[in-house]
Short mmCIF file of all heavy atoms in Angstrom, two decimals:
data_model
loop_
_atom_site.label_atom_id
_atom_site.label_comp_id
_atom_site.label_asym_id
_atom_site.label_seq_id
_atom_site.Cartn_x
_atom_site.Cartn_y
_atom_site.Cartn_z
N MET A 14 91.33 125.97 135.60
CA MET A 14 91.01 126.95 134.58
C MET A 14 91.67 126.54 133.26
O MET A 14 92.80 126.09 133.24
CB MET A 14 91.52 128.30 135.05
CG MET A 14 90.94 129.43 134.28
SD MET A 14 91.12 130.92 135.27
CE MET A 14 89.51 131.56 135.11
N ARG A 15 90.91 126.72 132.16
CA ARG A 15 91.45 126.34 130.85
C ARG A 15 92.33 127.43 130.28
O ARG A 15 92.10 128.61 130.48
CB ARG A 15 90.30 126.08 129.88
CG ARG A 15 89.45 124.91 130.27
CD ARG A 15 88.54 124.45 129.19
NE ARG A 15 87.65 125.50 128.68
CZ ARG A 15 86.71 125.31 127.80
NH1 ARG A 15 86.50 124.11 127.32
NH2 ARG A 15 85.95 126.29 127.38
N SER A 16 93.30 126.99 129.54
CA SER A 16 94.19 127.95 128.88
C SER A 16 93.49 128.51 127.63
O SER A 16 92.47 127.99 127.19
CB SER A 16 95.49 127.27 128.48
OG SER A 16 95.26 126.36 127.42
N ARG A 17 94.05 129.56 127.09
CA ARG A 17 93.48 130.15 125.88
C ARG A 17 93.49 129.16 124.72
O ARG A 17 92.55 129.10 123.93
CB ARG A 17 94.25 131.40 125.49
CG ARG A 17 93.94 132.57 126.35
CD ARG A 17 94.61 133.80 125.81
NE ARG A 17 94.32 134.93 126.66
CZ ARG A 17 94.83 136.12 126.50
NH1 ARG A 17 95.68 136.33 125.51
NH2 ARG A 17 94.52 137.10 127.30
N ALA A 18 94.54 128.38 124.62
CA ALA A 18 94.65 127.39 123.54
C ALA A 18 93.56 126.34 123.68
O ALA A 18 92.93 125.94 122.69
CB ALA A 18 96.02 126.74 123.55
N ASP A 19 93.31 125.89 124.92
CA ASP A 19 92.25 124.90 125.14
C ASP A 19 90.89 125.50 124.78
O ASP A 19 90.04 124.83 124.18
CB ASP A 19 92.24 124.44 126.60
CG ASP A 19 93.43 123.57 126.96
OD1 ASP A 19 94.08 123.06 126.03
OD2 ASP A 19 93.70 123.41 128.17
N LYS A 20 90.67 126.75 125.14
CA LYS A 20 89.40 127.41 124.83
C LYS A 20 89.23 127.55 123.32
O LYS A 20 88.15 127.29 122.78
CB LYS A 20 89.33 128.77 125.52
CG LYS A 20 87.98 129.45 125.36
CD LYS A 20 87.87 130.62 126.28
CE LYS A 20 86.60 131.41 126.15
NZ LYS A 20 85.54 130.93 125.39
N ARG A 21 90.30 127.96 122.62
CA ARG A 21 90.22 128.10 121.16
C ARG A 21 89.93 126.75 120.51
O ARG A 21 89.14 126.66 119.58
CB ARG A 21 91.52 128.69 120.62
CG ARG A 21 91.54 130.20 120.64
CD ARG A 21 92.70 130.71 119.82
NE ARG A 21 93.95 130.16 120.30
CZ ARG A 21 94.88 130.85 120.95
NH1 ARG A 21 94.71 132.13 121.16
NH2 ARG A 21 95.99 130.28 121.37
N THR A 22 90.59 125.70 121.02
CA THR A 22 90.37 124.36 120.47
C THR A 22 88.92 123.94 120.69
O THR A 22 88.27 123.41 119.77
CB THR A 22 91.32 123.34 121.13
OG1 THR A 22 92.65 123.73 120.87
CG2 THR A 22 91.10 121.95 120.58
N ALA A 23 88.41 124.20 121.88
CA ALA A 23 87.02 123.85 122.17
C ALA A 23 86.06 124.66 121.30
O ALA A 23 85.08 124.13 120.77
CB ALA A 23 86.72 124.09 123.65
N ASP A 24 86.35 125.95 121.11
CA ASP A 24 85.51 126.79 120.25
C ASP A 24 85.54 126.30 118.81
O ASP A 24 84.51 126.26 118.13
CB ASP A 24 85.98 128.25 120.30
CG ASP A 24 85.66 128.93 121.63
OD1 ASP A 24 84.88 128.37 122.42
OD2 ASP A 24 86.22 130.03 121.87
N PHE A 25 86.73 125.93 118.34
CA PHE A 25 86.85 125.42 116.97
C PHE A 25 86.05 124.13 116.79
O PHE A 25 85.32 123.96 115.81
CB PHE A 25 88.34 125.18 116.64
CG PHE A 25 88.55 124.57 115.29
CD1 PHE A 25 88.42 125.34 114.14
CD2 PHE A 25 88.85 123.22 115.15
CE1 PHE A 25 88.60 124.78 112.88
CE2 PHE A 25 89.03 122.66 113.90
CZ PHE A 25 88.90 123.43 112.77
N LYS A 26 86.16 123.22 117.76
CA LYS A 26 85.42 121.95 117.68
C LYS A 26 83.92 122.20 117.73
O LYS A 26 83.15 121.56 116.99
CB LYS A 26 85.85 121.02 118.81
CG LYS A 26 87.22 120.41 118.62
CD LYS A 26 87.58 119.48 119.74
CE LYS A 26 88.96 118.88 119.54
NZ LYS A 26 89.33 117.99 120.65
N ALA A 27 83.50 123.14 118.56
CA ALA A 27 82.07 123.46 118.64
C ALA A 27 81.58 124.05 117.32
O ALA A 27 80.50 123.69 116.84
CB ALA A 27 81.81 124.42 119.79
N ALA A 28 82.36 124.94 116.74
CA ALA A 28 81.99 125.55 115.46
C ALA A 28 81.92 124.49 114.36
O ALA A 28 81.01 124.50 113.52
CB ALA A 28 82.97 126.65 115.08
N LYS A 29 82.86 123.57 114.36
CA LYS A 29 82.88 122.49 113.36
C LYS A 29 81.65 121.59 113.53
O LYS A 29 80.99 121.23 112.54
CB LYS A 29 84.16 121.68 113.52
CG LYS A 29 84.44 120.73 112.40
CD LYS A 29 85.81 120.10 112.57
CE LYS A 29 86.08 119.11 111.47
NZ LYS A 29 87.38 118.46 111.64
N ALA A 30 81.32 121.27 114.77
CA ALA A 30 80.13 120.44 115.03
C ALA A 30 78.86 121.17 114.61
O ALA A 30 77.94 120.56 114.04
CB ALA A 30 80.06 120.06 116.51
N LEU A 31 78.79 122.47 114.89
CA LEU A 31 77.62 123.26 114.50
C LEU A 31 77.47 123.29 112.98
O LEU A 31 76.36 123.14 112.46
CB LEU A 31 77.73 124.67 115.05
CG LEU A 31 76.59 125.62 114.71
CD1 LEU A 31 75.26 125.09 115.24
CD2 LEU A 31 76.87 127.01 115.26
N THR A 32 78.57 123.44 112.28
CA THR A 32 78.54 123.44 110.81
C THR A 32 78.03 122.11 110.28
O THR A 32 77.20 122.07 109.37
CB THR A 32 79.93 123.76 110.24
OG1 THR A 32 80.34 125.02 110.73
CG2 THR A 32 79.93 123.77 108.74
N LYS A 33 78.50 121.02 110.84
CA LYS A 33 78.03 119.70 110.42
C LYS A 33 76.54 119.54 110.69
O LYS A 33 75.80 119.01 109.86
CB LYS A 33 78.81 118.59 111.15
CG LYS A 33 80.19 118.36 110.63
CD LYS A 33 80.84 117.19 111.34
CE LYS A 33 82.22 116.90 110.80
NZ LYS A 33 82.84 115.76 111.46
N PHE A 34 76.09 120.02 111.85
CA PHE A 34 74.68 119.94 112.19
C PHE A 34 73.84 120.78 111.22
O PHE A 34 72.79 120.34 110.75
CB PHE A 34 74.46 120.41 113.64
CG PHE A 34 73.04 120.33 114.09
CD1 PHE A 34 72.44 119.10 114.30
CD2 PHE A 34 72.31 121.48 114.30
CE1 PHE A 34 71.12 119.01 114.72
CE2 PHE A 34 70.98 121.40 114.71
CZ PHE A 34 70.40 120.17 114.91
N GLN A 35 74.31 121.99 110.89
CA GLN A 35 73.60 122.84 109.95
C GLN A 35 73.52 122.19 108.57
O GLN A 35 72.49 122.27 107.90
CB GLN A 35 74.28 124.21 109.85
CG GLN A 35 74.08 125.05 111.10
CD GLN A 35 74.93 126.31 111.09
OE1 GLN A 35 76.03 126.33 110.54
NE2 GLN A 35 74.43 127.35 111.72
N ASP A 36 74.60 121.54 108.15
CA ASP A 36 74.59 120.83 106.87
C ASP A 36 73.56 119.70 106.88
O ASP A 36 72.84 119.49 105.90
CB ASP A 36 75.97 120.26 106.54
CG ASP A 36 76.98 121.34 106.18
OD1 ASP A 36 76.56 122.49 105.92
OD2 ASP A 36 78.19 121.04 106.18
N LEU A 37 73.50 118.98 107.99
CA LEU A 37 72.53 117.89 108.12
C LEU A 37 71.10 118.43 108.05
O LEU A 37 70.26 117.89 107.32
CB LEU A 37 72.74 117.14 109.44
CG LEU A 37 71.73 116.06 109.76
CD1 LEU A 37 71.80 114.93 108.75
CD2 LEU A 37 71.94 115.54 111.17
N ILE A 38 70.82 119.50 108.78
CA ILE A 38 69.49 120.10 108.77
C ILE A 38 69.14 120.57 107.36
O ILE A 38 68.02 120.36 106.88
CB ILE A 38 69.41 121.28 109.76
CG1 ILE A 38 69.56 120.78 111.19
CG2 ILE A 38 68.12 122.07 109.60
CD1 ILE A 38 68.49 119.82 111.64
N SER A 39 70.09 121.17 106.67
CA SER A 39 69.86 121.64 105.31
C SER A 39 69.54 120.47 104.37
O SER A 39 68.61 120.55 103.56
CB SER A 39 71.10 122.38 104.81
OG SER A 39 70.92 122.80 103.50
N THR A 40 70.27 119.38 104.51
CA THR A 40 70.04 118.20 103.67
C THR A 40 68.66 117.60 103.94
O THR A 40 67.90 117.29 103.01
CB THR A 40 71.13 117.14 103.94
OG1 THR A 40 72.40 117.71 103.64
CG2 THR A 40 70.92 115.90 103.10
N VAL A 41 68.31 117.47 105.20
CA VAL A 41 67.01 116.90 105.57
C VAL A 41 65.88 117.81 105.09
O VAL A 41 64.88 117.34 104.53
CB VAL A 41 66.93 116.65 107.09
CG1 VAL A 41 65.52 116.31 107.52
CG2 VAL A 41 67.90 115.56 107.50
N THR A 42 66.04 119.10 105.28
CA THR A 42 65.02 120.05 104.85
C THR A 42 64.82 119.97 103.34
O THR A 42 63.68 119.95 102.85
CB THR A 42 65.41 121.48 105.25
OG1 THR A 42 65.58 121.53 106.67
CG2 THR A 42 64.36 122.49 104.85
N GLY A 43 65.91 119.90 102.60
CA GLY A 43 65.81 119.77 101.14
C GLY A 43 65.09 118.51 100.73
O GLY A 43 64.25 118.53 99.82
N ALA A 44 65.38 117.40 101.40
CA ALA A 44 64.72 116.13 101.07
C ALA A 44 63.23 116.21 101.38
O ALA A 44 62.39 115.70 100.61
CB ALA A 44 65.38 114.99 101.85
N VAL A 45 62.88 116.83 102.49
CA VAL A 45 61.46 116.96 102.86
C VAL A 45 60.73 117.82 101.84
O VAL A 45 59.63 117.48 101.39
CB VAL A 45 61.32 117.55 104.29
CG1 VAL A 45 59.88 117.95 104.57
CG2 VAL A 45 61.79 116.54 105.32
N ILE A 46 61.36 118.92 101.44
CA ILE A 46 60.72 119.79 100.44
C ILE A 46 60.52 119.04 99.12
O ILE A 46 59.45 119.13 98.50
CB ILE A 46 61.57 121.06 100.23
CG1 ILE A 46 61.46 121.95 101.47
CG2 ILE A 46 61.13 121.83 98.98
CD1 ILE A 46 62.42 123.12 101.48
N GLU A 47 61.51 118.27 98.70
CA GLU A 47 61.36 117.49 97.46
C GLU A 47 60.20 116.51 97.57
O GLU A 47 59.43 116.34 96.62
CB GLU A 47 62.65 116.73 97.17
CG GLU A 47 63.78 117.60 96.68
CD GLU A 47 65.07 116.81 96.47
OE1 GLU A 47 65.04 115.57 96.45
OE2 GLU A 47 66.12 117.47 96.34
N GLU A 48 60.06 115.84 98.71
CA GLU A 48 58.96 114.89 98.90
C GLU A 48 57.61 115.59 98.89
O GLU A 48 56.65 115.08 98.33
CB GLU A 48 59.14 114.10 100.20
CG GLU A 48 60.16 113.00 100.10
CD GLU A 48 59.82 111.98 99.04
OE1 GLU A 48 58.66 111.52 98.96
OE2 GLU A 48 60.71 111.64 98.25
N VAL A 49 57.53 116.75 99.53
CA VAL A 49 56.27 117.50 99.56
C VAL A 49 55.87 117.93 98.15
O VAL A 49 54.71 117.78 97.75
CB VAL A 49 56.36 118.72 100.51
CG1 VAL A 49 55.18 119.65 100.33
CG2 VAL A 49 56.46 118.25 101.95
N VAL A 50 56.82 118.42 97.39
CA VAL A 50 56.54 118.83 96.01
C VAL A 50 56.09 117.63 95.18
O VAL A 50 55.12 117.72 94.42
CB VAL A 50 57.76 119.53 95.38
CG1 VAL A 50 57.59 119.72 93.88
CG2 VAL A 50 58.00 120.87 96.07
N ALA A 51 56.77 116.50 95.33
CA ALA A 51 56.38 115.30 94.59
C ALA A 51 54.98 114.85 94.99
O ALA A 51 54.17 114.47 94.13
CB ALA A 51 57.39 114.18 94.86
N TRP A 52 54.66 114.93 96.28
CA TRP A 52 53.32 114.54 96.76
C TRP A 52 52.27 115.48 96.17
O TRP A 52 51.22 115.03 95.72
CB TRP A 52 53.28 114.59 98.29
CG TRP A 52 51.93 114.32 98.84
CD1 TRP A 52 51.34 113.10 99.01
CD2 TRP A 52 50.97 115.28 99.26
NE1 TRP A 52 50.08 113.25 99.52
CE2 TRP A 52 49.83 114.59 99.68
CE3 TRP A 52 50.98 116.67 99.33
CZ2 TRP A 52 48.70 115.24 100.17
CZ3 TRP A 52 49.86 117.32 99.81
CH2 TRP A 52 48.74 116.60 100.22
N GLN A 53 52.58 116.79 96.16
CA GLN A 53 51.63 117.75 95.58
C GLN A 53 51.40 117.46 94.10
O GLN A 53 50.27 117.52 93.62
CB GLN A 53 52.15 119.18 95.75
CG GLN A 53 52.04 119.70 97.15
CD GLN A 53 52.67 121.07 97.30
OE1 GLN A 53 53.62 121.41 96.59
NE2 GLN A 53 52.16 121.86 98.22
N ASN A 54 52.46 117.14 93.39
CA ASN A 54 52.33 116.84 91.96
C ASN A 54 51.47 115.60 91.75
O ASN A 54 50.62 115.57 90.86
CB ASN A 54 53.70 116.66 91.31
CG ASN A 54 54.45 117.96 91.20
OD1 ASN A 54 53.86 119.04 91.24
ND2 ASN A 54 55.75 117.88 91.07
N ARG A 55 51.70 114.57 92.57
CA ARG A 55 50.88 113.35 92.44
C ARG A 55 49.42 113.64 92.76
O ARG A 55 48.52 113.15 92.08
CB ARG A 55 51.41 112.25 93.37
CG ARG A 55 52.71 111.64 92.92
CD ARG A 55 53.05 110.39 93.72
NE ARG A 55 53.12 110.61 95.14
CZ ARG A 55 54.21 110.93 95.83
NH1 ARG A 55 55.36 111.07 95.20
NH2 ARG A 55 54.17 111.10 97.13
N THR A 56 49.18 114.45 93.78
CA THR A 56 47.82 114.80 94.17
C THR A 56 47.13 115.58 93.06
O THR A 56 45.97 115.33 92.72
CB THR A 56 47.83 115.61 95.48
OG1 THR A 56 48.46 114.84 96.48
CG2 THR A 56 46.43 115.94 95.93
N GLU A 57 47.84 116.55 92.47
CA GLU A 57 47.27 117.33 91.38
C GLU A 57 46.98 116.45 90.18
O GLU A 57 45.94 116.59 89.54
CB GLU A 57 48.23 118.46 90.98
CG GLU A 57 48.30 119.57 92.00
CD GLU A 57 49.37 120.60 91.68
OE1 GLU A 57 49.96 120.54 90.57
OE2 GLU A 57 49.63 121.44 92.54
N ASP A 58 47.88 115.51 89.87
CA ASP A 58 47.66 114.59 88.75
C ASP A 58 46.41 113.77 88.99
O ASP A 58 45.60 113.57 88.09
CB ASP A 58 48.86 113.66 88.55
CG ASP A 58 50.08 114.39 88.00
OD1 ASP A 58 49.92 115.54 87.53
OD2 ASP A 58 51.18 113.82 88.06
N ARG A 59 46.23 113.28 90.22
CA ARG A 59 45.04 112.48 90.54
C ARG A 59 43.78 113.32 90.43
O ARG A 59 42.76 112.85 89.93
CB ARG A 59 45.15 111.89 91.94
CG ARG A 59 46.11 110.74 92.02
CD ARG A 59 46.01 110.06 93.38
NE ARG A 59 47.31 109.52 93.71
CZ ARG A 59 48.00 109.76 94.81
NH1 ARG A 59 47.50 110.53 95.74
NH2 ARG A 59 49.18 109.23 95.00
N SER A 60 43.85 114.56 90.90
CA SER A 60 42.68 115.45 90.83
C SER A 60 42.31 115.72 89.38
O SER A 60 41.13 115.70 89.02
CB SER A 60 42.97 116.78 91.53
OG SER A 60 43.15 116.59 92.90
N GLN A 61 43.31 115.96 88.54
CA GLN A 61 43.04 116.20 87.12
C GLN A 61 42.45 114.95 86.47
O GLN A 61 41.52 115.03 85.68
CB GLN A 61 44.32 116.62 86.40
CG GLN A 61 44.79 117.99 86.80
CD GLN A 61 46.16 118.32 86.25
OE1 GLN A 61 46.82 117.48 85.64
NE2 GLN A 61 46.60 119.55 86.46
N THR A 62 42.98 113.78 86.83
CA THR A 62 42.47 112.53 86.27
C THR A 62 41.02 112.32 86.68
O THR A 62 40.18 111.96 85.86
CB THR A 62 43.33 111.33 86.74
OG1 THR A 62 44.67 111.56 86.33
CG2 THR A 62 42.82 110.03 86.18
N ARG A 63 40.72 112.58 87.96
CA ARG A 63 39.34 112.43 88.43
C ARG A 63 38.41 113.40 87.70
O ARG A 63 37.29 113.03 87.33
CB ARG A 63 39.27 112.66 89.94
CG ARG A 63 39.66 111.45 90.72
CD ARG A 63 39.34 111.65 92.21
NE ARG A 63 40.52 111.22 92.94
CZ ARG A 63 41.31 111.99 93.67
NH1 ARG A 63 41.03 113.25 93.85
NH2 ARG A 63 42.37 111.50 94.26
N ALA A 64 38.86 114.62 87.49
CA ALA A 64 38.03 115.61 86.79
C ALA A 64 37.76 115.16 85.36
O ALA A 64 36.63 115.28 84.87
CB ALA A 64 38.72 116.97 86.81
N ILE A 65 38.77 114.63 84.70
CA ILE A 65 38.59 114.14 83.33
C ILE A 65 37.60 112.97 83.31
O ILE A 65 36.70 112.92 82.47
CB ILE A 65 39.95 113.73 82.71
CG1 ILE A 65 40.81 114.97 82.49
CG2 ILE A 65 39.77 112.95 81.42
CD1 ILE A 65 42.26 114.67 82.16
N LEU A 66 37.77 112.04 84.24
CA LEU A 66 36.86 110.90 84.29
C LEU A 66 35.43 111.35 84.57
O LEU A 66 34.48 110.83 83.98
CB LEU A 66 37.32 109.90 85.35
CG LEU A 66 38.62 109.15 85.02
CD1 LEU A 66 39.05 108.31 86.22
CD2 LEU A 66 38.47 108.30 83.78
N ARG A 67 35.26 112.31 85.47
CA ARG A 67 33.92 112.83 85.76
C ARG A 67 33.30 113.47 84.54
O ARG A 67 32.13 113.25 84.23
CB ARG A 67 33.98 113.86 86.90
CG ARG A 67 33.67 113.25 88.23
CD ARG A 67 33.55 114.31 89.31
NE ARG A 67 34.73 114.19 90.15
CZ ARG A 67 35.66 115.11 90.35
NH1 ARG A 67 35.56 116.28 89.80
NH2 ARG A 67 36.70 114.87 91.11
N SER A 68 34.09 114.26 83.81
CA SER A 68 33.54 114.92 82.62
C SER A 68 33.21 113.88 81.55
O SER A 68 32.20 114.01 80.85
CB SER A 68 34.50 115.98 82.08
OG SER A 68 35.66 115.38 81.56
N ASN A 69 33.99 112.82 81.44
CA ASN A 69 33.69 111.74 80.50
C ASN A 69 32.40 111.04 80.90
O ASN A 69 31.57 110.72 80.04
CB ASN A 69 34.83 110.73 80.42
CG ASN A 69 36.04 111.28 79.71
OD1 ASN A 69 35.96 112.31 79.05
ND2 ASN A 69 37.17 110.60 79.85
N ASP A 70 32.25 110.77 82.20
CA ASP A 70 31.02 110.13 82.68
C ASP A 70 29.81 111.02 82.40
O ASP A 70 28.76 110.54 81.96
CB ASP A 70 31.09 109.85 84.18
CG ASP A 70 32.03 108.69 84.50
OD1 ASP A 70 32.37 107.92 83.58
OD2 ASP A 70 32.41 108.56 85.67
N ASP A 71 29.94 112.30 82.64
CA ASP A 71 28.83 113.24 82.37
C ASP A 71 28.49 113.24 80.88
O ASP A 71 27.31 113.25 80.50
CB ASP A 71 29.20 114.66 82.82
CG ASP A 71 29.30 114.77 84.33
OD1 ASP A 71 28.80 113.86 85.03
OD2 ASP A 71 29.89 115.78 84.80
N ALA A 72 29.51 113.22 80.04
CA ALA A 72 29.27 113.23 78.58
C ALA A 72 28.57 111.94 78.17
O ALA A 72 27.65 111.97 77.33
CB ALA A 72 30.58 113.37 77.84
N ARG A 73 28.95 110.80 78.74
CA ARG A 73 28.30 109.53 78.41
C ARG A 73 26.83 109.53 78.84
O ARG A 73 25.97 109.00 78.15
CB ARG A 73 29.03 108.37 79.08
CG ARG A 73 30.24 107.92 78.34
CD ARG A 73 30.78 106.62 78.90
NE ARG A 73 32.24 106.67 78.79
CZ ARG A 73 33.08 106.70 79.78
NH1 ARG A 73 32.67 106.59 81.02
NH2 ARG A 73 34.37 106.77 79.57
N ARG A 74 26.55 110.12 79.99
CA ARG A 74 25.16 110.16 80.47
C ARG A 74 24.28 111.00 79.57
O ARG A 74 23.09 110.71 79.41
CB ARG A 74 25.14 110.74 81.90
CG ARG A 74 25.62 109.77 82.92
CD ARG A 74 25.44 110.31 84.33
NE ARG A 74 26.31 109.58 85.24
CZ ARG A 74 27.19 110.13 86.05
NH1 ARG A 74 27.31 111.45 86.11
NH2 ARG A 74 27.96 109.41 86.81
N ARG A 75 24.87 112.05 79.00
CA ARG A 75 24.10 112.92 78.12
C ARG A 75 23.76 112.24 76.79
O ARG A 75 22.80 112.62 76.13
CB ARG A 75 24.87 114.21 77.86
CG ARG A 75 24.76 115.18 79.00
CD ARG A 75 25.37 116.52 78.67
NE ARG A 75 26.38 116.76 79.71
CZ ARG A 75 27.61 117.13 79.52
NH1 ARG A 75 28.07 117.32 78.30
NH2 ARG A 75 28.43 117.31 80.50
N LEU A 76 24.53 111.23 76.42
CA LEU A 76 24.28 110.56 75.13
C LEU A 76 23.09 109.70 75.20
O LEU A 76 22.32 109.21 75.54
CB LEU A 76 25.48 109.71 74.73
CG LEU A 76 26.74 110.48 74.36
CD1 LEU A 76 27.90 109.51 74.08
CD2 LEU A 76 26.50 111.34 73.13
#
């Protein structure tokens, strides 16, 4: 049977490990969100560029 001190030490180590794991998850989640936002911005930029090119092509055809 473990003593109270051993149990407290084990609880402290578990809490410390959990905190480190939560920090890691938070960091990874933040990085993923940044990448998704950057991807969305690139996609929107491409869509806007395509729309501009299409409207330019339409204007040229009308001439």
